[in-house]
């Protein structure tokens, strides 16, 4: 259903709402790709710092893998062998604790050389005091056993990676630079150059300009291919570090929910403080003045009826003002029109209070859960307030629609732009409120406009419209 508040100047057809991948979702949302590099990636890859860091990661992997594998196999074997006594259990716990320490070092190595930032896994949850409580927590922790598995798997893979990466790297650079040092063989080796083939009767050397050029060309091809080979090898390392040394999806989800719960609690506390402040500074102060005025009018009723009547009339005006403030405050908490008639009517009411013409279109066949509906309402309300106060726009639009299990809310205006949700403004608080319910707030506001703010909220607890 579409509603127009203000003048219809045809801006909707002129500017359009092209967004996402055509299905109304946020996929593919962005401002364009990066500017292309003049040198092709294949030519500049051997000289980039990333390629050398990845090669360094592979080289360090072998000695580190030997240490990890030796430690893990030795300590686990010792712990299992001592299980016939009570000592084996603490030894296994110490082994797993050591693996967790090695895991922290491996995450740091991946962060420094591969640019892979893996968060630390969930800490130990120790229930009780004493050494045995710690031992039990270590043995029950899934992170401990995943780090042990990493120590066992990393060694064979590091051997394979080392044996592949080092020959390619050294062979490629050796052949590529052969024209620079081929004089070493005749001068110091007493032979015609790099020997390609030889037996008791015949030898073939790379000694003429054509052969030297072909050798350098082959070296160039190997050198260009080596960074991509090393990068493919390190992808396996990335998967192992991320999957075995990082937090599980469940633990990450728990941390996210705890953070969202904190945002919800802080938002609710801020709303309560705002309501208390508005009541104290607004309606409550007016009611106190009203009581004083009525008391004075009562005293003057016998002496000066006209003055008393005038004071009663002024008190009547104060009552109307106080009632209006109470209505506005109640609307800020949760408007009755939203509960009774849904988003379409509620957003239409908000649009009439905007200082610019606003076109509202709500395309919903069902109503979302009250909590989601309320967040969508307050999101649009605050965005339209920003349009009125800061955007310097001449029109705005509000679109609400559903895509599968997501509720999409989009507010667009032709103002000056420059809005930034990361700048500590009201948009950051709005993004936090949307994120608290697993939603996404995307702000597209280049300097000069137009501004498009899209909120993607989960669709929960839908009920059919009457």
């Amino acid at each position: 259903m579409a509603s127009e508040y203000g003048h219809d100047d045809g801006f909707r057809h002129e500017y359009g709402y092209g967004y996402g991948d055509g299905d109304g979702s946020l996929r593919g949302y962005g401002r364009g790709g990066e500017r292309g590099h003049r040198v092709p990636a294949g030519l500049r890859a051997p000289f980039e710092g990333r390629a050398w860091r990845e090669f360094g990661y592979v080289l360090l992997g072998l000695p580190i893998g030997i240490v990890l594998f030796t430690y893990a196999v030795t300590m686990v074997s010792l712990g299992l062998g001592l299980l016939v006594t009570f000592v084996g259990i603490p030894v296994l716990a110490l082994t797993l604790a050591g693996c967790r320490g090695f895991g922290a070092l491996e995450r740091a190595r991946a962060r420094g050389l591969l640019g892979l930032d893996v968060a630390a896994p969930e800490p130990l949850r120790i229930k009780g005091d004493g050494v045995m409580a710690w031992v039990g927590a270590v043995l029950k922790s899934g992170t401990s056993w995943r780090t042990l598995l990493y120590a066992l798997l990393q060694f064979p893979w590091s051997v394979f990676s080392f044996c592949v990466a080092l020959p390619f790297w050294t062979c490629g650079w050796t052949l590529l630079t052969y024209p620079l040092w081929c004089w070493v063989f005749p001068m110091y080796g007493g032979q015609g150059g790099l020997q390609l083939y030889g037996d008791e009767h015949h030898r073939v050397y790379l000694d003429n300009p054509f052969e030297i050029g072909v050798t350098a060309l082959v070296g160039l091809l190997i050198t260009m291919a080596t960074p991509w080979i090393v990068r493919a090898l390190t992808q396996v390392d990335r998967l192992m570090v991320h999957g075995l040394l990082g937090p599980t999806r469940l633990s990450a989800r728990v941390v996210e929910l705890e953070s969202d719960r904190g945002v919800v609690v802080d938002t609710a506390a801020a709303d309560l403080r705002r309501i208390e402040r508005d009541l104290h500074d607004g309606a409550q102060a007016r009611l106190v003045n009203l009581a004083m005025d009525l008391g004075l009018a009562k005293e003057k009723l016998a002496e000066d009826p006209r003055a008393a009547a005038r004071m009663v009339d002024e008190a009547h005006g104060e009552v109307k003002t106080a009632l209006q403030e109470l209505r506005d405050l109640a609307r800020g908490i949760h408007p009755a029109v939203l509960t009774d008639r849904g988003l379409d009517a509620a957003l239409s009411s908000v649009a009439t209070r905007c200082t610019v013409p606003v076109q509202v279109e709500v395309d919903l066949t069902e109503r979302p859960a009250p909590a989601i509906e309320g967040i969508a309402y307050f999101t649009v309300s605050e965005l339209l307030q920003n349009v009125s106060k800061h955007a310097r726009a001449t029109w705005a639009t509000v679109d609400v629609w559903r895509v599968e299990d997501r509720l999409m809310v989009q507010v667009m205006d032709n103002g000056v732009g420059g809005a930034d949700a990361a700048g500590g403004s009201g948009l950051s608080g709005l993004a936090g409120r949307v994120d608290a319910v697993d939603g996404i707030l995307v702000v597209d506001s280049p300097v000069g406009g137009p501004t498009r703010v899209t909120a993607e909220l989960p669709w929960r607890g839908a009920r059919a419209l009457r």
Side-chain angles (χ1 to χ4, degrees):
M1 178 181 236
S3 305
E4 176 73 25
Y5 297 91
H7 304 286
D8 185 4
D9 54 2
F11 59 80
R12 184 176 180 86
H13 299 287
E14 180 180 352
Y15 290 92
Y17 285 178
Y19 189 80
D21 294 338
D23 60 353
S25 67
L26 290 176
R27 293 189 299 272
Y29 187 86
R31 298 189 182 183
E34 299 178 355
R35 192 172 68 178
H37 203 286
R38 293 183 177 180
V39 180
L43 292 178
R44 68 176 188 268
F47 307 97
E48 290 181 332
R50 176 181 177 181
W52 290 92
R53 289 192 298 270
E54 292 174 341
F55 181 61
Y57 184 90
V58 172
L59 293 183
L60 286 175
L62 181 59
I64 292 176
I66 294 173
V67 173
L68 284 177
F69 187 82
T70 304
Y71 168 82
V73 172
T74 303
M75 294 299 294
V76 169
S77 300
L78 178 63
L80 293 177
L82 293 175
L83 279 180
V84 294
T85 66
F86 181 76
V87 180
I89 297 177
V91 169
L92 284 177
L94 289 173
T95 303
L96 295 177
C99 289
R100 291 176 69 103
F102 282 121
L105 295 177
E106 285 294 274
R107 288 194 300 273
R109 184 167 72 102
R111 186 181 304 111
L113 297 179
L114 298 182
L116 178 64
D117 192 4
V118 177
E122 62 275 11
L124 291 176
R125 299 182 180 272
I126 304 175
K127 299 179 180 179
D129 300 326
V131 176
M132 295 310 300
W134 177 82
V135 170
V138 173
L139 294 176
K140 292 178 181 178
S141 174
T143 300
S144 303
W145 295 100
R146 284 189 285 114
T147 54
L148 175 61
L149 180 61
Y150 175 85
L152 298 176
L153 294 179
Q154 195 268 347
F155 171 65
W157 176 252
S158 65
V159 172
F160 175 79
S161 300
F162 187 92
C163 293
V164 171
L166 185 61
F168 268 95
W169 199 277
T170 55
C171 181
W173 283 102
T174 299
L175 296 180
L176 177 62
T177 58
Y178 181 61
L180 302 178
W181 56 269
C182 62
W183 54 271
V184 170
F185 286 92
M187 183 71 65
Y188 299 100
Q191 58 187 36
L194 184 66
Q195 182 174 319
L196 185 63
Y197 171 78
D199 55 24
E200 296 179 356
H201 307 286
H202 183 67
R203 290 179 177 86
V204 177
Y205 297 98
L206 302 176
D207 53 2
N208 61 62
F210 174 76
E211 293 174 344
I212 294 175
V214 172
T215 302
L217 179 60
V218 173
L220 176 62
L221 296 177
I222 297 176
T223 302
M224 291 172 56
T226 299
W228 304 103
I229 296 173
V230 174
R231 190 161 302 173
L233 295 173
T234 56
Q235 288 300 321
V236 179
D237 292 281
R238 293 171 187 271
L239 292 175
M240 288 196 300
V241 172
H242 188 275
L244 297 177
L245 302 183
T248 62
R249 291 185 178 181
L250 179 59
S251 62
R253 180 60 175 164
V254 169
V255 173
E256 181 182 357
L257 291 177
E258 290 177 348
S259 175
D260 292 344
R261 182 182 61 183
V263 172
V264 171
V265 171
D266 293 341
T267 302
D271 290 340
L272 288 176
R273 289 193 297 269
R274 176 183 60 82
I275 294 170
E276 181 182 6
R277 183 180 63 251
D278 292 344
L279 284 174
H280 183 272
D281 299 338
Q284 181 179 344
R286 290 189 180 277
L287 291 175
V288 171
N289 292 332
L290 174 62
M292 295 175 61
D293 292 341
L294 289 177
L296 293 175
K298 181 179 179 181
E299 293 178 358
K300 288 183 175 291
L301 185 60
E303 301 176 1
D304 190 354
R306 291 185 178 180
R310 186 172 58 255
M311 296 178 68
V312 171
D313 185 63
E314 293 176 356
H316 184 257
E318 288 289 325
V319 170
K320 292 182 178 180
T321 304
L323 289 175
Q324 183 60 41
E325 290 181 351
L326 289 174
R327 291 192 188 98
D328 293 339
L329 182 61
R331 186 182 298 114
I333 299 174
H334 195 84
V337 65
L338 179 62
T339 303
D340 297 337
R341 301 175 57 190
L343 276 174
D344 195 359
L347 296 183
S348 299
S349 176
V350 171
T352 59
R353 298 195 295 270
C354 189
T355 58
V356 300
V358 180
Q359 179 168 318
V360 178
E361 182 172 347
V362 179
D363 184 14
L364 297 177
T365 57
E366 295 178 332
R367 292 182 62 175
I372 302 300
E373 197 173 50
I375 291 177
Y377 170 82
F378 287 112
T379 299
V380 174
S381 179
E382 185 162 342
L383 291 175
L384 289 182
Q385 287 184 15
N386 290 342
V387 172
S388 299
K389 294 178 181 178
H390 310 296
R392 295 195 294 236
T394 58
W395 55 260
T397 61
V398 176
D399 279 299
V400 180
W401 71 99
R402 179 181 178 183
V403 179
E404 297 178 353
D405 61 343
R406 309 294 285 180
L407 176 65
M408 311 296 298
V409 179
Q410 185 179 99
V411 177
M412 182 177 177
D413 67 78
N414 66 338
V416 296
D420 185 9
S425 61
L427 286 176
S428 60
L430 195 60
R433 177 174 291 191
V434 171
D435 182 67
V437 292
D438 290 338
I440 301 173
L441 186 75
V442 178
V443 179
D444 181 19
S445 182
V447 176
T451 296
R452 180 188 289 110
V453 181
T454 304
E456 181 179 329
L457 300 170
W459 185 276
R460 297 174 182 166
R463 58 184 185 273
L465 285 172
R466 297 178 183 176

